[in-house]
Amino acid sequence: MRCIKCKKEAEVRLRSPKVGFCSEHFLEYFLRQVERAVKKFKMLSPGQKVLVAVSGGKDSIVLWDAILSLGYEAEGLHIDLGLGEYSEASRDACLQFARNNGTKLYVVSFPANTRKSIAEIARNARLPNCSVCGVIRRHLMNILAEATGHRVVATGHNLDDEAAALLGNILNWQTGYLARQHPHLPAYGRYFPARIKPLVRLSEREILSYCRLRGLNYYEGRCPFARGASSLVYKRIIEELEEEMPGTKHRFLFGFLKEERKRFVITSLEMKECRICHHPTTSEVCVFCRLMQKAGIEPNLPYNPEIFTPESVLESTGERRD
């Protein structure tokens, strides 16, 4: 197969659309898809600062790289959940990217602040580890965005993630999640920054190709909590459909966003202020604060991050500028 743009030998072959690209034109195509999502869903204004939630995995590292490549001012936020070697390697990958690109990285360690592990909190609350982890990460993103002056947080959710989540939400009729499933959730009040997903038009295969061609390093390990997660089952199902009928993921997700999501959006939902942390919620006390109370943790802690500027990132990795 030849590159559709320059007719050189294709280094990347896509099944939907069925085209090939040389390395130069694939990278151009990839960034154009990111920019198209940003503009289509009005995610960012020219010159707007964005806080990129980085786990150290391929999706978030690629997102950070693409946002910077498109000329936006993008700083990173890494939440260390204290999961042993997994968390250490993930943190190192984020630090390496920040060092290589001269960008600022905020790192907050949840266990260091609370003296409790995710597993302990999940046991006390009688909830799955993944559910507890999700609540904690979302809340800390909001806290750190407000503390660092960012009104937009970008996450690395891609086409595969969103199509699989949509399948799971429909199969279980999670109407609240269906209403909130969108690449851009606007900011609400002081403590709820906008959430954006600029990789929503791109598949995991395309993201892996971008990583390879850009020479990006990321941590390939899987989260210890992921074993047995239902999201992996939905991903496998949607991928099997894609193999049989290329373009299924895109048609499924974007058809929903265009035609069906509006059926689940409740415009009259009343938001309150959590009486403990003052973040937006639909009840007197938000989910995060209820979770912390069950675990015997003071909910309204000052989760102060370590701040790595380009210079201090170099120092933290034992390197110096010439």
Side-chain angles (χ1 to χ4, degrees), residues 43 48 150-154 184-188 192-196:
M43 296 180 184
Q48 188 169 19
H150 291 84
R151 293 300 293 154
V152 181
V153 174
H184 179 192
L185 294 177
Y188 183 90
F192 199 94
R195 296 285 181 84
I196 62 172

Side-chain angles (χ1 to χ4, degrees), residues 30 59 62 158 199 203-211:
F30 190 97
D59 299 324
V62 164
N158 58 43
L199 299 183
S203 69
E204 286 193 1
R205 291 183 181 183
E206 291 166 310
I207 288 167
L208 280 168
S209 295
Y210 184 91
C211 268

Side-chain angles (χ1 to χ4, degrees), residues 53-61 77-78 86 89-95 217-221:
V54 280
S55 66
K58 66 181 186 312
D59 299 324
S60 59
I61 292 293
L77 165 63
H78 176 68
Y86 171 82
S90 298
R91 176 183 172 130
D92 287 347
C94 297
L95 281 167
N217 293 316
Y218 62 93
Y219 179 51
E220 298 185 53

Side-chain angles (χ1 to χ4, degrees), residues 55-188:
S55 66
K58 66 181 186 312
D59 299 324
S60 59
I61 292 293
V62 164
L63 172 63
W64 201 359
D65 185 78
I67 291 291
L68 287 170
S69 297
L70 289 171
Y72 293 98
E73 184 181 345
E75 298 175 343
L77 165 63
H78 176 68
I79 297 172
D80 183 342
L81 296 170
L83 302 178
E85 291 182 7
Y86 171 82
S87 287
E88 291 172 14
S90 298
R91 176 183 172 130
D92 287 347
C94 297
L95 281 167
Q96 183 184 34
F97 182 90
R99 179 193 67 209
N100 292 344
N101 291 274
T103 58
K104 186 181 287 186
L105 175 68
Y106 303 91
V107 178
V108 62
S109 171
F110 180 74
N113 281 272
T114 63
R115 311 294 182 191
K116 296 265 186 164
S117 70
I118 301 293
E120 287 178 279
I121 295 170
R123 281 196 301 272
N124 289 341
R126 297 182 181 180
L127 289 170
N129 288 328
C130 280
S131 298
V132 171
C133 182
V135 169
I136 290 169
R137 282 189 293 108
R138 286 189 292 271
H139 191 79
L140 291 184
M141 279 186 225
N142 292 347
I143 289 175
L144 270 297
E146 196 276 333
T148 58
H150 291 84
R151 293 300 293 154
V152 181
V153 174
T155 61
H157 295 84
N158 58 43
L159 175 61
D160 298 53
D161 296 325
E162 291 299 289
L166 177 58
L167 177 62
N169 289 335
I170 289 176
L171 289 176
N172 294 288
W173 285 117
Q174 299 278 3
T175 55
Y177 289 125
L178 288 168
R180 293 191 294 275
Q181 183 154 1
H182 195 269
H184 179 192
L185 294 177
Y188 183 90

Side-chain angles (χ1 to χ4, degrees), residues 9 44 52 58 84 115 174 191 207-208 212 216 218 221 234 297 306 313 316 318:
E9 185 68 24
L44 293 168
V52 181
K58 66 181 186 312
R115 311 294 182 191
Q174 299 278 3
Y191 291 108
I207 288 167
L208 280 168
R212 175 175 59 84
L216 300 176
Y218 62 93
Y234 300 135
I297 298 170
E306 297 176 78
V313 170
S316 71

Side-chain angles (χ1 to χ4, degrees), residues 238-249:
I238 206 78
E239 186 59 37
E240 288 174 2
L241 289 170
E242 182 74 18
E243 286 294 321
E244 292 294 326
M245 298 173 287
T248 293
K249 287 182 282 194

